[in-house]
Amino acid sequence: AQSVTQLDSQVPVFEEAPVELRCNYSSSVSVYLFWYVQYPNQGLQLLLKYLSGSTLVKGINGFEAEFNKSQTSFHLRKPSVHISDTAEYFCAVSERGNNDMRFGAGTRLTVKP
Amino acid sequence: EAQVTQNPRYLITVTGKKLTVTCSQNMNHEYMSWYRQDPGLGLRQIYYSMNVEVTDKGDVPEGYKVSRKEKRNFPLILESPSPNQTSLYFCASSLRLAGGTDEQYFGPGTRLTVT
């Protein structure tokens, strides 16, 4: 079965700085990859997803992620963060033909003024 | 508005007192799922349902029950809650998760405390 590792549990950054949230996955078959964001006291919402094609995926709010098959990674990036980006971010993976989605433990991004 | 709703949003109960958390979606989604979120562990799947009357265990099903009598509803039942079930619970739905490509839509969460 697939698994996901988010390498940083907390990432503090200053406003307008770039940020990278790291995600590695493990699977023996083809995968689909997702990033979700959870704002305080809310459910998760989709930021972006990789299904196939271009390995660079653009999402909402200026975020993008790059699928790297050789390194089994799907890191999330933003060139300049805002206070409003403060949230918890979850990487998730599903396998082709499989019925379940596995989530990482989450990375709490805190943007400081 | 397309959404997943959960009730209640907050619940404090005592050990052994049966409770039900309701979940409803208005998007005609086939797939529904329950997760629990605990610090440092992320989201872990409790049960999922591919369609009406079709349910299956996720990673942490012990102590929980579900039913799917109607397409829109997927209640989570704790027959005899225990303190280790204190957690934040999310219901989610997707059009059709078979094949793995569909995003899931999440409810706002239910924070359960069992004393």
Side-chain angles (χ1 to χ4, degrees):
Chain A
Q2 73 275 38
S3 65
V4 182
T5 302
Q6 290 184 243
L7 298 160
D8 307 291
S9 60
Q10 297 187 60
V11 174
V13 294
F14 287 105
E15 194 174 18
E16 298 183 5
V19 71
E20 178 180 80
L21 307 183
R22 297 180 294 168
C23 171
N24 285 92
Y25 69 91
S26 173
S27 173
S28 57
V29 300
S30 297
V31 296
Y32 305 115
L33 295 154
F34 305 77
W35 275 99
Y36 286 84
V37 60
Q38 184 183 27
Y39 297 108
N41 299 314
Q42 294 185 28
L44 282 71
Q45 55 184 279
L46 185 71
L47 264 182
L48 50 79
K49 62 182 178 182
Y50 170 78
L51 302 182
S52 64
S54 172
T55 57
L56 184 62
V57 181
K58 294 190 183 298
I60 61 171
N61 300 339
F63 284 93
E64 63 181 32
E66 186 156 20
F67 171 56
N68 188 320
K69 189 175 181 179
S70 63
Q71 298 189 9
T72 61
S73 68
F74 190 55
H75 301 334
L76 181 70
R77 301 185 182 97
K78 186 169 183 178
S80 176
V81 293
H82 302 241
I83 298 287
S84 59
D85 292 322
T86 293
E88 187 139 23
Y89 293 79
F90 291 93
C91 183
V93 60
S94 61
E95 291 179 330
R96 184 170 297 178
N98 201 331
N99 289 333
D100 72 325
M101 180 180 286
R102 298 296 175 96
F103 287 82
T107 296
R108 183 170 297 278
L109 174 66
T110 303
V111 181
K112 299 180 284 187
Chain B
E1 180 190 355
Q3 60 182 349
V4 178
T5 57
Q6 295 178 228
N7 282 292
R9 293 289 312 277
Y10 303 91
L11 180 59
I12 300 174
T13 190
V14 296
T15 299
K17 185 176 181 181
K18 180 179 178 180
L19 66 92
T20 299
V21 183
T22 64
C23 172
S24 183
Q25 50 93 5
N26 62 0
M27 295 171 279
N28 201 36
H29 283 170
E30 293 183 2
Y31 180 94
M32 298 185 74
S33 180
W34 276 102
Y35 295 89
R36 60 178 288 173
Q37 182 182 9
D38 301 290
L41 297 177
L43 275 75
R44 294 179 292 168
Q45 191 177 54
I46 302 170
Y47 269 94
Y48 65 93
S49 170
M50 296 296 294
N51 214 323
V52 175
E53 302 292 359
V54 181
T55 63
D56 211 344
K57 297 177 181 178
D59 294 323
V60 289
E62 294 77 22
Y64 304 95
K65 285 175 56 176
V66 294
S67 68
R68 188 93 181 271
K69 293 184 170 57
E70 305 165 283
K71 197 170 188 178
R72 63 183 293 129
N73 296 323
F74 190 45
L76 178 70
I77 303 156
L78 284 72
E79 294 269 4
S80 181
S82 63
N84 65 11
Q85 293 178 298
T86 293
S87 187
L88 180 59
Y89 291 86
F90 287 102
C91 180
S93 72
S94 70
L95 184 62
R96 182 184 62 252
L97 201 62
T101 61
D102 297 311
E103 70 173 280
Q104 294 191 67
Y105 294 81
F106 285 82
T110 295
R111 186 166 292 282
L112 172 65
T113 302
V114 184
T115 62

